Amino acid sequence: MAATQRDVALRAGVSTRTVSNVVNDYQHISEDVRRRVLAAIDEVGYRPNRAARSLRTGRSGLIALAFPEFDVGYFAELARLVVHEAERRGYTVLVMQTLGERGREAALLQRIDRQLVDGLLFSASACEPEDIENSDTGPLVLLGEHDIPGTDRIAIDNVAAARAATRHLVEQGCRRIAFIGRARDFRSDMAEQRIEGYQLELTAAALPFRQVVDVDGYHRANGFAAVTDLLAAKGSGPVDGLLCANDPVALGAMHALNQAGLRVPDDIAVVGFDDIDDSAYGLVPLTSVSPDKRQIAELAVSRLIDRVEGADVPGRLHVAGFELAVRASSARMGSNGGGGGAGGQS
């Protein structure tokens, strides 16, 4: 027999009205009671009648989450946190993938059914303002660097983060630092903001060397290919530090350095971005800019639910925190400049 609200109430030690209030996301419920009821719902296997809930509240209790790629560790880790936060608030998450292509992003915006989902959390890469204006998505919150004016967006300060990462490499004795990860044939607001921070910090440190290396994507293979080409290039002299657009690119870069017989960090120090779980557990743990992913998830879900529940305020940027997780890939003993480096062109 299917579990009922009465079963949940008995397990949680509350009234059936309280269970109903939690299921319908009534806000004037203490967090302790909400947690007990949600735990009891899981324990007894209760499944709310969403059709009835929708008729009562005008909301389905379902929100959509769209990311470019779920095989990129950062998106997978952030999705887990978003799902956890949404469930804590009594919502279920429908997950979708766009591959970062404008056509797929625009099609997704057209397909969103406001009778099915209450709102959309959207990590956009290529869509334009008119794609959103021509859709009827309802409440919308953007995640990441791609900005649509007038829309809530949750992101870290990529320029400041890239400056902090570059400054760390300079402090470790690096003087010829290359950036690995400019998008070759596609749009990447993320990479452009991180390149800006990298260049600003080199200027602040009075270091004239600049080298920005293109990639075809943001996976390990792309970092491996980019650094393999860098090592093969003939040009202005050795590189002694790498700032990579994200951690998969950095992990691929370190593999290329290892294949070439170069030591990390003694010959070349390496820093990545996003601090995915894999980065801390390699043979040489990777230094990485660590966004506060939990804060990003909490801000995103909170802002979206506020709008679902009728908040009518101008959209704006909400900045989450970050820190630099320093590990063996960049931490040089003595910080006096390192060894041989990699050949490259300025």
Side-chain angles (χ1 to χ4, degrees), residues 258-302:
N258 181 62
Q259 292 286 89
L262 293 166
R263 298 166 300 166
V264 176
D266 297 334
D267 296 319
I268 302 180
V270 181
V271 175
F273 251 91
D274 295 340
D275 197 22
I276 62 174
D277 287 345
D278 287 352
S279 297
Y281 298 101
L283 291 176
V284 181
L286 175 64
T287 294
S288 183
V289 173
S290 182
D292 190 336
K293 292 188 276 282
R294 185 172 301 280
Q295 185 186 21
I296 292 170
E298 290 174 353
L299 281 170
V301 172
S302 176

Side-chain angles (χ1 to χ4, degrees), residues 33-78:
V33 170
R34 190 181 301 277
R35 281 193 296 269
R36 282 163 48 203
V37 171
L38 291 176
I41 286 172
D42 288 340
E43 290 167 6
V44 304
Y46 173 64
R47 294 294 176 264
N49 185 326
R50 293 198 176 277
R53 171 179 173 170
S54 181
L55 287 172
R56 287 194 303 272
T57 67
R59 299 195 296 269
S60 68
L62 186 69
I63 60 176
L65 171 65
F67 277 140
E69 299 175 283
F70 281 98
D71 56 348
V72 172
Y74 173 77
F75 293 131
E77 292 173 17
L78 186 55

Side-chain angles (χ1 to χ4, degrees), residues 66-150:
F67 277 140
E69 299 175 283
F70 281 98
D71 56 348
V72 172
Y74 173 77
F75 293 131
E77 292 173 17
L78 186 55
R80 174 174 55 82
L81 292 168
V82 166
V83 169
H84 172 79
E85 181 63 16
E87 289 179 344
R88 192 184 71 81
R89 298 288 298 270
Y91 282 77
T92 300
V93 180
L94 172 67
V95 177
M96 295 173 285
Q97 178 176 260
T98 66
L99 301 180
E101 299 169 359
R102 181 181 178 187
R104 293 176 68 96
E105 291 183 353
L108 179 146
L109 290 167
Q110 292 295 328
R111 288 199 308 269
I112 291 292
D113 185 345
R114 292 192 65 178
Q115 293 183 327
L116 174 64
V117 300
D118 294 327
L120 171 63
L121 295 174
F122 188 20
S123 180
S125 295
C127 71
E128 298 293 343
E130 58 265 29
D131 296 325
I132 291 176
E133 291 167 4
N134 294 332
S135 68
D136 187 26
T137 61
L140 171 68
V141 172
L142 296 175
L143 297 166
E145 295 76 23
H146 190 62
D147 187 27
I148 301 294

Side-chain angles (χ1 to χ4, degrees), residues 13 28-30 46 114 141-142 144 151 161 167 206 210 229 240 249 304 320 333:
H28 301 292
I29 299 288
S30 73
Y46 173 64
R114 292 192 65 178
V141 172
L142 296 175
T151 305
R167 187 179 312 119
R210 303 286 191 280
D229 291 343
D240 59 8
V249 167
L304 186 64
M333 297 300 293

